Amino acid sequence: MAALIRYSKSSAVSSLSSTSLLRRCFSSTVSSELTSPSAASPSPFTLSHNLPRKDPKDRNVQWIFLGCPGVGKGTYASRLCNLLGIPHIATGDLVREELASSSPLSRQLSEIVNQGKLVSDEIIINLLSKRLQAGEAKGESGFILDGFPRTIRQAEILEEVIDIDMVVNLKLREDVLLEKCLGRRICGQCGKNFNIASINVKGENGNPGMSMPPLLPPTHCMTKLITRADDTEAVVKERLRVYYEKSQPVEEFYRSRGKLLEFNLPGGIAESWPKLLQVLNLDDFEEKLSAAA
């Protein structure tokens, strides 16, 4: 990863022990010969709605996926990571893994998540640092971050230690988001995610109509479906409120740096996935992979 180290940040941020750990994880991936900011190579992307066509192997894929809770960041980020052969690092998954453990942090996290609140910067950074260390040990290269950063402070910390190439902001109307979140289910045996919501919303007040079929489980999972504790209407609405208050400013943070690519989901996966690939100029690459297979 051609990470660009920045040394000119405030001492208040760099004094955090968790930030120092994160810096070590990221900086260990840089080239042994650091490049000064003035001489740094340009990003392989010029962010616009017409990204240059380059073989993904030649791209410096260090991306972030933003969007409201339930918008589908994990779904699309995971698909892209499988396509590009890079790790999908979802802070939500890291939190859930910690919740499932017997660590001292588990009970504290449980209270935070079940109330729909944001997990603190320190906790998220420490979990992310552990994940990056594990990836470094396995020789991982490139990544898509999903669910981080969620606050301006997190974005500033991340900017201090690595140069993000692109930030994809997935957008979906709020009434559809709520319905999607309430329809989410997890198989208690295999752990896979499904959605029983069948969404068919008429266009009104300038919003286009939208149809999203359910993502139903196979027969052997049907009787094992469970609902996440934080997928109640009250908690989902609180999570959306917190997102708009704390996380939406992160969009402007990256927009002001010319790195934000906004993508309005037109429907379900079948409709949205091909259009997302077109925007990212990856549609040809997927076709080549399919042909090779």
Side-chain angles (χ1 to χ4, degrees):
M1 306 177 213
L4 176 63
I5 304 299
R6 293 182 170 88
Y7 294 99
S8 59
K9 298 295 178 180
S10 68
S11 59
V13 173
S14 60
S15 64
L16 288 172
S17 59
S18 55
T19 307
S20 300
L21 179 57
L22 182 61
R23 181 183 293 109
R24 288 197 298 272
C25 292
F26 274 125
S27 61
S28 64
T29 65
V30 302
S31 168
S32 58
E33 184 176 349
L34 294 177
T35 306
S36 65
S38 60
S41 300
S43 167
F45 290 103
T46 300
L47 286 188
S48 68
H49 290 283
N50 294 298
L51 299 177
R53 287 192 179 276
K54 298 185 71 173
D55 191 299
K57 294 180 181 178
D58 298 329
R59 295 181 173 184
N60 183 29
V61 179
Q62 296 176 172
W63 296 351
I64 293 171
F65 266 56
L66 296 180
C68 291
V71 75
K73 298 185 297 294
T75 298
Y76 294 102
S78 178
R79 281 177 167 244
L80 279 171
C81 286
N82 289 335
L83 181 67
L84 300 175
I86 58 175
H88 170 217
I89 303 177
T91 53
D93 290 343
L94 299 181
V95 169
R96 283 186 282 275
E97 288 171 8
E98 195 71 24
L99 283 169
S101 72
S102 56
S103 71
L105 184 59
S106 179
R107 180 178 295 181
Q108 180 186 353
L109 277 174
S110 180
E111 294 176 359
I112 294 171
V113 171
N114 289 338
Q115 292 173 20
K117 297 179 180 179
L118 283 180
V119 179
S120 72
D121 292 339
E122 287 77 14
I123 292 175
I124 289 295
I125 290 169
N126 275 314
L127 292 176
L128 180 58
S129 297
K130 287 165 58 179
R131 170 61 183 83
L132 290 169
Q133 282 185 320
E136 178 190 354
K138 295 188 293 185
E140 290 178 348
S141 177
F143 57 80
I144 293 180
L145 290 181
D146 165 10
F148 184 92
R150 287 190 175 184
T151 66
I152 291 294
R153 181 169 173 241
Q154 290 178 357
E156 290 172 342
I157 292 172
L158 187 62
E159 186 178 53
E160 182 181 354
V161 297
I162 197 165
D163 193 22
I164 293 297
D165 304 303
M166 179 169 61
V167 179
V168 180
N169 186 29
L170 299 181
K171 306 184 77 172
L172 190 64
R173 48 189 288 181
E174 188 171 327
D175 55 341
V176 175
L177 271 173
L178 180 60
E179 196 169 345
K180 271 192 67 184
C181 287
L182 296 181
R184 292 195 295 196
R185 298 292 186 273
I186 302 173
C187 176
Q189 184 173 35
C190 70
K192 291 185 178 179
N193 294 288
F194 304 99
N195 201 302
I196 63 172
S198 180
I199 299 172
N200 191 4
V201 181
K202 295 181 179 180
E204 57 181 13
N205 300 325
N207 291 318
M210 184 172 294
S211 178
M212 301 179 76
L215 181 61
L216 297 176
T219 305
H220 61 272
C221 291
M222 189 67 74
T223 60
K224 304 177 183 67
L225 297 184
I226 58 176
T227 303
R228 280 171 37 175
D230 57 334
D231 275 346
T232 65
E233 184 170 353
V235 172
V236 170
K237 287 183 175 179
E238 174 64 10
R239 287 165 62 202
L240 290 174
R241 185 196 68 77
V242 171
Y243 176 83
Y244 293 134
E245 178 184 333
K246 301 284 187 180
S247 299
Q248 209 165 34
V250 176
E251 298 175 12
E252 185 55 40
F253 180 90
Y254 287 111
R255 184 180 291 111
S256 68
R257 285 155 173 74
K259 295 187 175 185
L260 190 72
L261 178 66
E262 300 196 279
F263 182 76
N264 289 288
L265 293 165
I269 296 173
E271 185 176 0
S272 298
W273 175 243
K275 293 182 179 180
L276 179 60
L277 290 179
Q278 288 175 3
V279 169
L280 297 174
N281 280 336
L282 287 172
D283 46 325
D284 285 353
F285 181 64
E286 186 184 47
E287 290 172 5
K288 290 176 182 177
L289 287 184
S290 298

